[in-house]
Amino acid sequence: MYKMNVCQFPGCKKMSLSSFSADGDTILEIPGYCLEHHKNKLEIKKQIKNYVLSHDVIIGLDACGITISDLDLSNKKFCACNLQHCTFSNVHSINLYARMCMLDFCTFSDCSFTKSNFQFSSFSGAKFIHVLLTDSDLIHNNFNGITAYQCSFDNSDLYNSRFVKSVLMNTSLKNCNLKKTLFYESARESVSFKMSNTREAVFDRNQNNILVAFKEKEVLQ
């Protein structure tokens, strides 16, 4: 589970980055420093990158605030990892697996996570720009407050996920399972829900019928 060590810098309340054994093969359960106060930012970023690349299963990694770019994460499995405030750029994967991971306030740009499986994870407040999350299982996830621009969730299972107060622009959710998916107070412009079971989604706290809440610019069929 989460290590959740607090940064050792006096007065800092941020979570510290993971520490590693001398050979870089093991995450140590010892206190450290957040990215801002780490003495060797380049070295710790290198250690985190090498650990991710050299392991198929990553458990309990704390990498808050780092930038992850130009990586292939295909077939990787992440569990109970704290990746809040990270920036993902040009990251691509097939069959990426994640459970109980925290990705709140991350920025994803020009990324693809196709045929992936994310469950019980949080993306609250994250930004998605030109991102593909197609053909994926995205179940029981928190997408509250996200901004998605020119993204695609097509052919994905979004059962019981939440998009409360999200902003969706030029984004496609075609042929998705939207059963119990919440869109309370979301702003949606040029969004396509073609062939999705929209009547089983919830767009308004007092009304389950999608026709009441939809704007004219949204595509129903």
Side-chain angles (χ1 to χ4, degrees):
M1 290 300 291
Y2 305 108
K3 302 296 188 297
M4 302 301 285
N5 290 316
V6 177
C7 177
Q8 295 300 289
F9 189 85
C12 183
K13 297 182 180 180
K14 296 180 181 178
M15 295 296 103
S16 67
L17 299 175
S18 293
S19 299
F20 300 89
S21 58
D23 60 5
D25 194 54
T26 305
I27 296 177
L28 304 177
E29 296 188 24
I30 59 175
Y33 293 88
C34 67
L35 182 61
E36 179 183 355
H37 296 121
H38 205 283
K39 296 179 181 178
N40 195 332
K41 295 179 174 59
L42 293 178
E43 180 61 25
I44 190 60
K45 290 178 181 179
K46 181 179 178 181
Q47 288 179 343
I48 291 172
K49 180 178 179 179
N50 288 341
Y51 185 86
V52 170
L53 291 177
S54 61
H55 290 74
D56 292 329
V57 180
I58 298 95
I59 301 175
L61 176 68
D62 196 323
C64 292
I66 72 168
T67 296
I68 301 170
S69 59
D70 305 316
L71 285 185
D72 186 343
L73 299 178
S74 295
N75 301 310
K76 299 286 186 181
K77 294 184 178 181
F78 291 82
C79 183
C81 293
N82 186 356
L83 303 171
Q84 297 180 88
H85 298 280
C86 285
T87 297
F88 295 83
S89 176
N90 196 35
V91 174
H92 302 284
S93 69
I94 299 175
N95 297 322
L96 179 64
Y97 175 103
R99 289 291 185 278
M100 297 184 295
C101 289
M102 297 188 294
L103 297 115
D104 305 294
F105 306 105
C106 287
T107 297
F108 300 85
S109 62
D110 300 304
C111 297
S112 64
F113 304 99
T114 59
K115 297 183 179 179
S116 294
N117 192 309
F118 292 89
Q119 294 190 34
F120 304 106
S121 295
S122 179
F123 297 85
S124 179
K127 294 181 180 179
F128 296 82
I129 304 168
H130 305 145
V131 176
L132 295 179
L133 285 155
T134 56
D135 303 300
S136 297
D137 291 323
L138 307 172
I139 301 171
H140 306 297
N141 294 311
N142 177 8
F143 293 100
N144 291 346
I146 70 163
T147 297
Y149 176 70
Q150 292 186 349
C151 297
S152 176
F153 294 82
D154 291 351
N155 307 312
S156 293
D157 189 348
L158 291 164
Y159 174 77
N160 201 35
S161 286
R162 300 171 300 285
F163 290 81
V164 177
K165 294 187 177 181
S166 62
V167 177
L168 308 176
M169 297 177 291
N170 299 323
T171 289
S172 180
L173 293 92
K174 296 178 182 178
N175 195 36
C176 290
N177 177 26
L178 300 178
K179 187 172 183 178
K180 295 187 178 181
T181 307
L182 304 183
F183 293 92
Y184 297 154
E185 300 180 43
S186 60
R188 306 179 301 276
E189 182 175 347
S190 299
V191 175
S192 175
F193 291 91
K194 186 176 181 180
M195 296 184 292
S196 296
N197 55 335
T198 48
R199 287 186 178 275
E200 296 188 83
V202 183
F203 288 82
D204 186 272
R205 291 180 183 274
N206 300 313
Q207 177 56 265
N208 288 349
N209 189 339
I210 191 173
L211 296 178
V212 173
F214 259 31
K215 298 179 182 178
E216 294 181 357
K217 292 184 179 180
E218 293 175 315
V219 180
L220 296 179
Q221 57 184 354

